[in-house]
Every structure is written in structure tokens, then in C-alpha cells.
Amino acid sequence: MTTLDNPRDNAVEQSSDLTPQQRFREVRAVTDTLASRLSAEDQTPQSMPEASPTKWHRAHTTWFFEEFILRSVPTYAVFDERFRYLFNSYYEAVGDRHPRPERGLVTRPGIDEIAAYRRHVDDAMVDLLRRGALGDDALALLELGCNHEQQHQELLLMDVKHLFSTVPMSPGPVYVERGADAPAESDPLRWRSVAGGVTEIGAHGDGFAYDNEGPRHRVFLEDFEIARRPVTNADWWEFMADGGYRRPDLWLSDGWTHIRNTGWSAPGYWRFDDDAGWTTFTLSGRRPVVADEPVLHVSFFEADAFARWAGARLPTEFEWERAAADVDSLRGELLDPDRCHPRSTGHLNGGGAMIGNVWEWTASAYLPYPGFAPANGAVGEYNGKFMCDQHVLRGASAVTPRGHERITYRNFFPAAARWAFSGFRLAR
Ligand SMILES: [Fe+2]
């Protein structure tokens, strides 16, 4: 098993001090580390249409640099012209692409050829960076490509977790060995008052942000309260014991239809056995559900129903950002390749961490901010065209690469999705 030297040192404050070449190499190395624990067989299938094979993530992140930077360099030799079709994800401006649900059927190229593709593109990129041959536009695309790859590192782990959870053996596969945590102090739900008024929302423009995080603009908020920690598994047991999944009065109509169609009666990956009680599948295999850890792998529908049951609501993304701007101990658990799992809320200095551990569903639909304009060219398809029928999640999770997290970050998923490391905190 390969480990990173010290992932905790890779903090966001330091990433801006890196040269573009160091930054590129560092990000690319994390992907290689994450994949190094997986066999060729592990890296090939996809377990559901929304997920992608590890091999595909490794190739697609490479394709991004080749497509958007290297192809416009006259001296660059394309590695394999067929990969343009194979590893395009959703960029209409680039052309046709292999259907997403069939990515897991691609047995060739194999992982060795994908590794050679990565080296080919890395060598070409590093050569350009060494010679200072990239202009400002290309350097901006490089930074976008690094952030894109970090996003795929989280997706890779989400997808491996789902894939491994489908293996019909007990015990099942383990991505990372991990001992049990020492018991943490329980962290009762407490509230923090936040003054309303006109507040500024969105990226400042100092440092990288995706286009969907801007423009910065004013929003009016009423006074509100926000929970000092996310909802925990112990909280969730109370909801379940009170018939939370059986009471239509708690659910949005679409959510109620969804749980009736799917039969959901607990968060994703949870299972009840008479012997073991409640367990959940983790990247360290199936483990007991830990009471004081944040509830994980719940959908927007479930978060919304819980909030109604609790006599509260979900914060809007604007309330969330306003509240996060005030918190001292902002960062919780981010990606540690030797853990890949949230920590108990009591572990995090009173549970105040708003960035890390679990992504937090908000009440907000994923919509453009006033004055939003996607970037020019194909990369304008990165975010803007998905602003329909999705909800915003804020913060970051225990599988978000360190340095990728920001207060203004807007993650988004459909209301029924729950394979992301998604939880939530209450507001009122
Ligand atoms: Fe992508």
C-alpha cells in the first residue's frame, strides 16, 4: 500500500505558494496514489450508470489536459486519437463520446496503457511548464485541470466505495485498513445565532474558484440559527425509531414516491443484522455504525424529511456561507488516504467544522448567481449547463482532497442521489 508523505501538509494556504509545475505534479501524484491500491480488475468495472471506473477517472483527467491545453501546442503528439472519443465526459463542443453507462465495459486500453497515457501527457505538460511556454490563458486552464482532477479524486473514492459494496462476500473488500477510533465525547446539538442583514455571497476573485461560485453579489438574510454540528447517526436512529421512513407527512411528494419505489428505510450502505446490529459499508469494509459520527449517504429527500421531523429546516446555501464565514475552527476531516472516513462530531473541536467530514445539503436549488456567465469555449460546459433539478451541497467531505475546499464551493447533486459523502446540518 502506498501512502502520501503527509497529506495534512498539503493545505490550501500552501497550494498558492507552489509553482504551476509543482502544483500539477502534486495533484497528478495523488490520483496515482489512490489508484495504486487497486488491481486492474478493481479499476475496470462501474457498479452503476452514475459511477465510473477508476481507470476511466485516470484517463479522463489526463484527457482534460490533452484536450484543453496540449492539442493547441503545435509540437505536441497526441497519444492516441481514439481516446478523444473514449474519455470525453460531457463536452458537446469537443464532439461525440462513449456512452457513460458503458464505461465499465471498456477492457482495453488496460491500466498499463492508461499509465503510459498519463506519463505521456505529464511529460508534455512538465516540458511546457519548465520552459515557461504557457501563457495566462493556458495557465488558467492548468489550474482548472488540477481542480478538475481533484474533483475526480473524490469521485474515484465514491465510486470505489460503491463498487466494493456490491461484492457479495463477507467480509468484503477493503480499500484502506483502519483501526477503530477511540470513543469520542458525545456532542449534543447546540445552536448558533447568526445576525441577518445584507451579506455578500460568492468568490472574491482572489485565488481559484469555479465559474459557478461567482459573481459575488448581495443577498438579504433574516436572522437565523444554525446547528453547531451536522446531524449524527444517533440522531438518525431517533428519526428511524419514530417511523421517519414510514410517515408521509414528513416527506416531499417526490421524496415519498422515491422511498416507496426504492424501499429505502435507512441511509445508504446501512444494514441491520440480528448479530451485528446496524453496520455500514466503508472504504475499510463493513463496520458498526458509530453513534456520534455525522450521518452519511443520505439524499436531499431524507435530509429534508429529517429536518421537518426535527421541527427545523435545512439552511439555504446563503445562510450556510454566511455562517461559515464566522466560524473559527472551520476545517474538519479532509482526504487522508489512510482513513477516507468522517470523524465523530465530538472530535472536531466541538463539532464546529463546517468544511470537511460530510458535504452538507442545503435547501437551495442549484441556480446561477445574478450576472453568471459561463467561461468561453468548451470549458464553459463545466458547470453552467447542469443548473436544473439539482440541489447545492456546501462544505467538503472526508474524501475531498486537501486544498480543494473553499467556503464558496458549490457542489450539486439531484435530490435522490446519495453515493456522495453527503450529510447535513439543521437551521431554524
Ligand atoms: Fe470530468
Side-chain angles (χ1 to χ4, degrees):
M1 181 184 297
T2 313
T3 59
L4 292 180
D5 290 332
N6 187 354
R8 292 185 184 285
D9 286 343
N10 181 20
V12 66
E13 292 80 6
Q14 293 171 5
S15 68
S16 57
D17 297 335
L18 299 177
T19 66
Q21 186 182 327
Q22 288 168 327
R23 165 90 171 130
F24 175 76
R25 281 186 178 284
E26 203 168 85
V27 168
R28 298 284 283 170
V30 173
T31 305
D32 294 336
T33 298
L34 296 178
S36 68
R37 297 172 175 172
L38 299 165
S39 68
E41 292 85 351
D42 293 334
Q43 294 191 40
T44 302
Q46 69 187 130
S47 52
M48 60 176 173
E50 296 85 352
S52 299
T54 292
K55 193 174 79 173
W56 184 89
H57 287 299
R58 295 175 66 197
H60 163 70
T61 49
T62 306
W63 169 93
F64 193 96
F65 292 109
E66 182 175 69
E67 184 62 42
F68 296 126
I69 298 177
L70 293 173
R71 272 185 187 271
S72 52
V73 175
T75 52
Y76 175 71
V78 168
F79 181 79
D80 186 328
E81 208 44 76
R82 298 171 299 177
F83 287 8
R84 190 177 211 185
Y85 172 86
L86 199 51
F87 298 122
N88 179 6
S89 53
Y90 54 65
Y91 294 88
E92 301 287 348
V94 174
D96 289 340
R97 73 213 66 94
H98 185 61
R100 179 174 181 164
E102 295 174 19
R103 288 174 188 164
L105 301 177
V106 177
T107 58
R108 299 183 187 197
I111 62 167
D112 291 342
E113 200 172 351
I114 300 296
Y117 180 38
R118 287 183 68 86
R119 281 195 302 274
H120 177 85
V121 165
D122 286 352
D123 289 348
M125 289 294 301
V126 168
D127 179 58
L128 289 169
L129 287 163
R130 264 201 201 119
R131 292 191 285 114
L134 295 181
D136 287 348
D137 288 353
L139 287 172
L141 287 167
L142 173 82
E143 187 54 35
L144 180 64
C146 288
N147 278 272
H148 171 254
E149 183 142 353
Q150 289 182 307
Q151 229 175 339
H152 276 277
Q153 289 160 0
E154 176 156 3
L155 287 165
L156 184 160
L157 292 168
M158 287 159 54
D159 295 352
V160 167
K161 183 172 182 174
H162 190 267
L163 175 69
F164 277 10
S165 78
T166 66
V167 173
M169 292 196 301
S170 185
V174 166
Y175 176 76
V176 56
E177 297 284 356
R178 172 168 67 85
D181 291 334
E185 286 183 35
S186 79
D187 185 22
L189 178 61
R190 290 169 296 134
W191 296 89
R192 184 157 66 88
S193 297
V194 182
V198 174
T199 187
E200 294 211 351
I201 296 295
H204 290 88
D206 53 350
F208 177 84
Y210 288 120
D211 57 0
N212 65 0
E213 295 167 57
R216 192 164 170 85
H217 64 288
R218 288 168 301 167
V219 168
F220 178 78
L221 300 175
E222 301 289 350
D223 296 344
F224 64 100
E225 290 186 309
I226 192 158
R228 288 181 181 270
R229 62 153 173 82
V231 168
T232 63
N233 292 325
D235 298 333
W236 202 264
W237 274 320
E238 284 185 45
F239 171 69
M240 288 166 62
D242 198 34
Y245 281 96
R246 301 190 302 274
R247 289 176 43 186
D249 57 304
L250 297 175
W251 294 78
L252 292 168
S253 174
D254 287 351
W256 184 245
T257 301
H258 194 79
I259 63 165
R260 281 164 58 100
N261 288 343
T262 57
W264 285 355
S265 58
Y269 300 118
W270 280 32
R271 193 170 79 196
F272 186 81
D273 299 304
D274 286 338
D275 293 344
W278 281 106
T279 59
T280 185
F281 192 80
T282 74
L283 281 163
S284 304
R286 186 157 285 283
R287 320 263 292 220
V289 173
V290 176
D292 292 317
E293 287 179 5
V295 70
L296 191 57
H297 300 296
V298 289
S299 62
F300 171 82
F301 290 139
E302 290 163 293
D304 175 81
F306 180 98
R308 196 166 292 107
W309 170 79
R313 60 179 176 79
L314 300 179
T316 67
E317 63 167 321
F318 310 114
E319 289 172 330
W320 191 99
E321 189 170 320
R322 173 74 184 81
D326 281 350
V327 176
D328 292 336
S329 60
L330 201 57
R331 284 183 176 76
E333 185 74 10
L334 294 164
L335 174 61
D336 172 355
D338 293 327
R339 179 175 176 87
C340 297
H341 190 73
R343 296 200 181 261
S344 292
T345 59
H347 180 83
L348 304 168
N349 300 326
M354 292 185 75
I355 297 188
N357 243 16
V358 292
W359 286 102
E360 300 184 8
W361 285 107
T362 71
S364 297
Y366 179 49
L367 293 171
Y369 287 167
F372 169 76
N376 290 326
V379 292
E381 296 183 47
Y382 199 108
N383 283 307
K385 69 182 188 180
F386 301 109
M387 291 174 172
C388 175
D389 284 348
Q390 311 218 46
H391 279 266
V392 174
L393 299 93
R394 290 302 199 101
S397 85
V399 288
T400 305
R402 197 162 282 265
H404 192 60
E405 78 283 11
R406 289 184 293 282
I407 287 181
T408 57
Y409 201 107
R410 305 175 79 201
N411 199 352
F412 52 91
F413 280 100
R418 61 178 194 175
W419 99 104
F421 281 55
S422 51
F424 63 104
R425 78 178 59 218
L426 296 172
R428 62 184 187 187

